[in-house]
Amino acid sequence: MAASCAEMEPAAAPRSPGTGELVCARGRNRKAVLCQRCGSRVLLPGAATFARRELFLPSMKKKTALLASSSPDGDVLQDHWLVDDMFSFENIGFTKDVGNIKFLICADCEVGPIGWHCLDDKKSFYIALDRVSHE
Amino acid sequence: MAKTYDYLFKLLLIGDSGVGKTCLLFRFSEDAFNTTFISTIGIDFKIRTIELDGKKIKLQIWDTAGQERFRTITTAYYRGAMGIMLVYDITNDKSFDNIKNWIRNIEEHASSDVERMILGNKCDMNEKRQVSKEKGEKLAIDYGIKFLETSAKSSINVEEAFFTLARDIMTKLNRKMNDNSSPGAGGPVKITENRSKKSSFFRCTLL
């Protein structure tokens, strides 16, 4: 993944290819949002709105995999599902604070980070489209 | 957006370190995938959605991981808690003996009407068992608390435990609301108002 390129893109860039079938006409998630790894249900269909914002999420890889490859420690991701209430999630985990950020993980298998929350904005919880599956 | 759930319960997992509290929080414990990053920073809490009697319930579950000493678990941690899982390890006598201390800690710091439940975890490790099931049951009866033996590893009774605790909280809530709606009771209290006049609905009887 070209994280460094993504960082340069203008904020008004068009939606990434493929998001069209995931986003309904009212800008909500057409499908349920699931954990890529264990299928745990994160969001019900229609529970979130599509939002673009450049957010850095640390890698989901294990230490061994990270050491083996020279991949970056994370990705800057643009496409997200946004909810304004943490209880909109069906199942989700919150990490401890990293500065003023809490990262979101799968509540069942704890893979992550799949999302991002800033303590300064109590009404924004982001889940990166690239880090979940849709059904 | 309108609320899509009927109840919201804050639950705590309490017990000595190493009894498997954290494991009770995931469905496939052996399958857990702790990335370097996540295991380094640690998990604060989880939100889970369950359905009970047709009601959608959001559980916000906190784990004490890393701050298990009685001294460090104080009022702040217990604030707003409606249910507490007291967890010991059936292969560790000490963790069972300490349940009494944990109950004392709860009585000292938590709301007086918090729902409690005792879990004897790791019941898949019968060959290393130090605490008999009868002993666990007896302790629970002495305190008037429900009891289950669980295995996070083999997924035995874990869901049942959370459902049972949630059901007990819901029953208590409904009963309170009914009591309060009758004349002469302690004033109108609805769950949606629990942060208004009184600092906490669940603390009323404590004051």
Side-chain angles (χ1 to χ4, degrees):
Chain A
M1 197 166 299
S4 53
C5 295
E7 221 167 347
M8 312 285 182
E9 273 183 33
R15 271 174 199 170
S16 303
T19 55
E21 63 182 65
L22 298 176
V23 185
C24 77
R26 288 162 54 218
R28 296 195 161 270
N29 56 313
R30 198 190 295 273
K31 299 176 177 180
V33 174
L34 310 177
C35 170
Q36 274 176 356
R37 189 163 170 275
C38 75
S40 173
R41 194 162 287 255
V42 179
L43 286 165
L44 292 179
T49 52
F50 181 80
R52 300 211 84 207
R53 178 169 177 182
E54 283 188 355
L55 296 174
F56 176 81
L57 292 187
S59 169
M60 298 214 288
K61 286 178 184 161
K62 283 192 177 181
K63 189 190 269 172
T64 46
L66 267 182
L67 288 175
S69 72
S70 57
S71 63
D73 299 321
D75 306 299
V76 174
L77 300 169
Q78 299 247 15
D79 297 341
H80 308 278
W81 297 118
L82 172 64
V83 297
D84 64 7
D85 174 6
M86 69 165 90
F87 297 107
S88 298
F89 291 111
E90 289 297 291
N91 299 288
I92 197 78
F94 282 71
T95 66
K96 299 215 164 85
D97 302 355
V98 181
N100 58 350
I101 304 299
K102 276 186 182 294
F103 291 100
L104 310 187
I105 62 169
C106 170
D108 278 309
C109 73
E110 304 193 338
V111 76
I114 60 170
W116 188 93
H117 169 63
C118 177
L119 296 171
D120 298 336
D121 180 1
K122 302 248 179 273
K123 300 210 103 190
S124 297
F125 303 84
Y126 295 89
I127 296 287
L129 267 70
D130 276 359
R131 299 220 170 165
V132 289
S133 62
H134 300 85
E135 184 182 280
Chain B
M1 217 170 113
K3 277 197 168 53
T4 54
Y5 53 91
D6 301 295
Y7 294 95
L8 169 58
F9 298 156
K10 178 181 172 183
L11 308 183
L12 307 181
L13 297 172
I14 300 270
D16 287 4
S17 56
V19 299
K21 295 188 298 295
T22 308
C23 297
L24 288 171
L25 275 178
F26 32 80
R27 198 175 297 157
F28 312 109
S29 60
E30 281 196 290
D31 208 23
F33 185 89
N34 263 302
T35 61
T36 312
F37 179 72
I38 302 298
S39 48
T40 306
I41 50 179
I43 296 164
D44 210 6
F45 63 89
K46 289 183 178 177
I47 292 168
R48 290 195 173 280
T49 306
I50 63 169
E51 225 174 275
L52 209 57
D53 304 334
K55 301 284 184 195
K56 202 162 178 183
I57 303 175
K58 298 279 176 178
L59 304 177
Q60 188 184 37
I61 310 169
W62 296 74
D63 177 3
T64 55
Q67 43 166 330
E68 274 95 358
R69 291 153 178 266
F70 303 122
R71 290 183 285 286
T72 59
I73 297 190
T74 54
T75 314
Y77 182 73
Y78 287 115
R79 188 162 296 134
M82 301 156 84
I84 297 176
M85 293 288 192
L86 287 143
V87 190
Y88 69 89
D89 171 357
I90 67 149
T91 71
N92 179 345
D93 243 332
K94 186 86 188 347
S95 73
F96 176 74
D97 294 339
N98 261 337
I99 289 291
K100 285 183 181 167
N101 295 327
W102 284 115
I103 290 176
R104 207 171 306 136
N105 193 260
I106 291 171
E107 284 169 350
E108 209 172 305
H109 296 290
S111 164
S112 62
D113 62 354
V114 69
E115 281 293 333
R116 296 165 301 174
M117 186 161 183
I118 297 176
L119 302 182
N121 196 31
K122 305 193 187 176
C123 70
D124 54 290
M125 294 170 73
N126 220 355
E127 70 285 357
K128 288 189 177 170
R129 181 188 284 272
Q130 290 183 356
V131 184
S132 71
K133 191 174 178 183
E134 291 68 33
K135 226 173 140 186
E137 283 167 344
K138 167 129 193 346
L139 181 74
I141 290 168
D142 288 348
Y143 283 99
I145 305 176
K146 283 188 183 164
F147 169 75
L148 272 179
E149 283 201 344
T150 54
S151 165
K153 198 177 167 196
S154 309
S155 294
I156 299 168
N157 280 345
V158 177
E159 297 237 319
E160 286 84 341
F162 284 103
F163 272 81
T164 303
L165 190 61
R167 184 183 295 280
D168 289 349
I169 295 170
M170 194 162 87
T171 306
K172 181 176 274 184
L173 258 182
N174 290 339
R175 201 175 52 225
K176 273 204 162 184
M177 286 178 69
N178 290 338
D179 287 353
N180 283 326
S181 62
S182 61
V189 180
K190 290 177 191 157
I191 42 170
T192 49
E193 289 176 358
N194 64 356
R195 285 190 205 287
S196 54
K197 285 172 195 163
K198 287 169 183 162
S199 63
S200 169
F201 169 57
F202 295 95
R203 240 164 249 275
C204 300
T205 52
L206 193 76
L207 296 173

